[in-house]
Amino acid sequence: MAQVNPVQVDDELFREIILDHYRHPRHRGLVEPADVATHGHNPLCGDEIDLSLRVRQDQVEAVGFEGQGCSISMAAASMMSEEVQGTSLANTKDLIRRFRAMLLEGQDPASLGDIGDLEALAGVRRYAARIKCAMLPWTALEAGLTQLEGSDGRNRD
Ligand code: ZN
């Protein structure tokens, strides 16, 4: 029996997951009404994303995006939205931290707890030019959270 390299198996699986999110994006479309809306742009690749969030009682009640760009950026936006929808703002910030640790610092995804399909993007680290593509929705998300804090949502609901 031929030896199967587990890394190659993972790559194959991860490629399938990325393509699935690209072809069937989750949470596509802006949410209405939204508390924050941000725009992200990656000039290196030409990726564009609009991200909108509705927040109630420190929970992301709804998240949605519109955009155009490469498969990595669009799949990353879909995966991110899936993880962020319905979770707390604190958890959202923690996800941003963990995703960054995986992609920018090269931390083993297995040491980062459950990050869902996002793990499939770990391999992007090997392609320096694509890291910004995978980070784009996260940069937009972080800008959205900063906007939210600046708008003083303390009394909301
Ligand atoms: Zn791109």
Side-chain angles (χ1 to χ4, degrees), residues 116-129:
D117 286 351
L118 290 167
E119 190 184 347
L121 291 169
V124 171
R125 183 171 162 75
R126 293 199 295 273
Y127 310 96

Side-chain angles (χ1 to χ4, degrees), residues 7-8 10-12 14-15 18 42 44-45 47 70-73 102-104 106 119-135:
V7 172
Q8 278 173 5
D10 276 1
D11 275 357
E12 197 60 38
F14 288 166
R15 195 172 307 125
I18 290 169
N42 171 20
L44 288 178
C45 183
D47 309 313
C70 68
S71 55
I72 299 286
S73 64
M102 178 181 85
L103 205 65
L104 303 183
E119 190 184 347
L121 291 169
V124 171
R125 183 171 162 75
R126 293 199 295 273
Y127 310 96
R130 312 313 294 278
I131 290 178
K132 277 198 158 48
C133 303
M135 281 309 301

Side-chain angles (χ1 to χ4, degrees), residues 83 91 94-95 98 109-119:
E83 291 303 311
N91 202 27
D94 196 51
L95 262 177
R98 287 190 283 162
S111 72
L112 294 170
D114 183 12
I115 54 171
D117 286 351
L118 290 167
E119 190 184 347

Side-chain angles (χ1 to χ4, degrees), residues 6-59:
V7 172
Q8 278 173 5
V9 172
D10 276 1
D11 275 357
E12 197 60 38
L13 173 68
F14 288 166
R15 195 172 307 125
E16 286 300 313
I17 293 173
I18 290 169
L19 280 176
D20 183 57
H21 276 273
Y22 177 58
R23 290 179 184 139
H24 312 284
R26 280 62 140 182
H27 304 284
R28 184 136 198 155
L30 301 179
V31 300
E32 190 63 52
D35 295 298
V36 277
T38 56
H39 179 77
H41 177 215
N42 171 20
L44 288 178
C45 183
D47 309 313
E48 302 264 357
I49 182 175
D50 284 297
L51 184 73
S52 60
L53 297 169
R54 182 162 66 246
V55 176
R56 293 291 178 270
Q57 294 173 333
D58 289 330
Q59 298 265 328

